Amino acid sequence: MAKAIQQIELQQSTAEEMQQKDMERIVSQIADNKQAITSMLEIVDQLEATGVLDILKGFLSAREKIGTIAVEQINQPNIHHTIKNMFYTMGFVGHLEPEKLRTMLESVQKGVETASTHAEENEKTSTWGLVKSFRDPHVVLALSTMVSFLKGMGKELEEKGDAQ
């Protein structure tokens, strides 16, 4: 019969053997992820070429100063209001239908261009000229739109109890 094993000897890897295994594992991972690593190196190359890496290095070396300045700015009372207003504005814009907003903004742009041209000509409109402009269908449409806007705004103010 065979003799019973009394002691198990563990083979200890030397530091060189462990380093060799680690290197083999790394090379294997590089080979498996060749495309991803190549893409990443291309991105880093572009970041270097555009100077973004230099900016990031500068940012990281001055991170404590930048962090202190950022916290000081955020702790100012007006900044809290600004941040709240940004959230309200984003919510407001999010509720608007994009096509309607585009139409209104393009109309405002055209109105600004027309008003700018009129102001550059430095012509004063007489009272009779203002009265005659009420016959212009474009003026009537713009005024009707503004009145509708004011009606909607007034209804909302009344519902919120802010009307005075």
Side-chain angles (χ1 to χ4, degrees):
M1 266 194 145
K3 198 175 182 185
I5 299 175
Q6 297 288 331
Q7 203 173 17
I8 299 175
E9 290 182 29
L10 294 175
Q11 290 184 348
Q12 295 287 330
S13 297
T14 64
E16 292 174 359
E17 291 173 339
M18 290 175 60
Q19 188 176 20
Q20 180 64 28
K21 285 181 185 177
D22 289 343
M23 290 298 291
E24 288 172 5
R25 205 173 306 130
I26 289 171
V27 169
S28 174
Q29 286 181 332
I30 290 172
D32 291 344
N33 297 298
K34 177 186 167 197
Q35 183 61 41
I37 292 170
T38 303
S39 295
M40 183 185 70
L41 291 173
E42 289 172 1
I43 291 170
V44 171
D45 188 41
Q46 290 296 317
L47 292 173
E48 177 67 30
T50 58
V52 172
L53 284 182
D54 292 332
I55 293 169
L56 289 174
K57 285 193 296 191
F59 178 80
L60 290 174
S61 65
R63 65 185 173 273
E64 290 179 16
K65 290 179 183 176
I66 293 172
T68 302
I69 292 169
V71 168
E72 288 173 0
Q73 292 300 315
I74 289 173
N75 283 332
Q76 292 181 6
N78 291 340
I79 296 299
H80 295 285
H81 294 295
T82 301
I83 292 170
K84 266 185 164 178
N85 288 340
M86 285 178 15
F87 283 119
Y88 290 141
T89 302
M90 296 306 286
F92 166 73
V93 172
H95 283 92
L96 296 175
E97 292 182 37
E99 287 304 314
K100 288 182 180 179
L101 179 61
R102 188 178 119 240
T103 301
M104 293 304 291
L105 290 176
E106 287 174 352
S107 300
V108 169
Q109 178 185 359
K110 183 65 175 178
V112 169
E113 289 172 3
T114 304
S116 176
T117 302
H118 182 76
E120 288 172 0
E121 293 172 357
N122 210 12
E123 291 180 21
K124 293 185 178 182
T125 305
S126 66
T127 306
W128 182 248
L130 287 174
V131 171
K132 283 174 49 177
S133 68
F134 285 110
R135 291 188 198 164
D136 185 339
H138 298 120
V139 172
V140 173
L141 178 60
L143 286 172
S144 298
T145 302
M146 292 178 91
V147 168
S148 296
F149 169 79
L150 293 172
K151 280 184 186 179
M153 185 176 170
K155 285 180 186 178
E156 186 67 20
L157 288 171
E158 186 176 60
E159 287 177 14
K160 299 288 184 190
D162 292 336
Q164 295 178 5

